[in-house]
Amino acid sequence: MSREGLGDARSQGEDASSQGRAKVVRSESEWKERLTPEQYRITRKAGTERAFTGEYWNTKTPGTYSCACCGAPLFSSRTKFDSGTGWPSFWNAVASEAVEEREDRSLFMRRTEVLCATCDAHLGHVFPDGPRPTGRRYCINSASLKLEPEGEEGG
Ligand code: FE
């Protein structure tokens, strides 16, 4: 029995508005249709792209990095820094409510997973060894992001 019948992207506006935002909910098959296989593997299955292979690890273009799944703004180029890890790294999110954090004990490690607060896309992990002023390092997969360059549309 498949869950596809549940599928229509429903934006739970009324419910979620009490928490200040609307959730984007889609079925697995819908995400599969809308994303590339690499994006699907990473964002919906908590995968990781290989270091130095993603689209944005070395990008310095000013702009906003939005969620590859739902388009919600997540990170700004203004907080991007060169971590040397081969993944796009940020010392803060655009807003604290843009992302959610969750304990991740997979792979015999204890890490903090970072997800899109709007659609629950897996983005990457956050570590406590980042630069000032936050001291945080959001280590994010390029495949979870889409850069909207500044000035191109209301930038
Ligand atoms: Fe999202």
Side-chain angles (χ1 to χ4, degrees):
M1 172 112 180
S2 88
R3 298 175 49 212
E4 265 125 71
L6 299 173
D8 283 4
R10 45 195 208 281
S11 192
Q12 299 173 328
E14 263 51 77
D15 266 352
S17 63
S18 56
Q19 300 161 2
R21 63 186 154 73
K23 276 272 183 190
V24 170
V25 180
R26 293 184 188 281
S27 68
E28 292 294 299
S29 62
E30 282 179 305
W31 286 125
K32 219 170 227 175
E33 273 170 33
R34 301 170 70 95
L35 301 169
T36 68
E38 175 80 340
Q39 286 174 325
Y40 179 80
R41 179 181 76 81
I42 290 168
T43 61
R44 311 319 306 185
K45 297 293 171 191
T48 302
E49 70 199 13
R50 283 196 299 129
F52 303 102
T53 66
E55 189 176 353
Y56 299 128
W57 71 271
N58 202 22
T59 300
K60 295 180 173 68
T61 309
T64 300
Y65 290 86
S66 299
C67 178
C69 292
C70 75
L74 299 174
F75 298 98
S76 166
S77 59
R78 284 191 289 276
T79 63
K80 194 172 189 285
F81 68 100
D82 183 4
S83 63
T85 60
W87 288 283
S89 301
F90 305 86
W91 49 259
N92 211 356
V94 289
S96 57
E97 61 270 22
V99 296
E100 274 172 15
E101 297 178 13
R102 191 184 288 172
E103 183 175 271
D104 174 8
R105 290 178 175 239
S106 65
L107 302 177
F108 308 102
M109 288 181 274
R110 185 181 213 148
R111 294 177 296 171
T112 303
E113 181 185 10
V114 181
L115 303 105
C116 172
T118 304
C119 76
D120 294 333
H122 171 80
L123 305 175
H125 292 86
V126 61
F127 301 93
D129 58 7
R132 291 169 187 233
T134 60
R136 311 199 90 201
R137 172 170 61 91
Y138 289 84
C139 184
I140 305 299
N141 290 286
S142 298
S144 302
L145 300 173
K146 183 178 187 315
L147 174 60
E148 323 274 3
E150 221 161 73
E152 286 199 358
E153 197 188 328

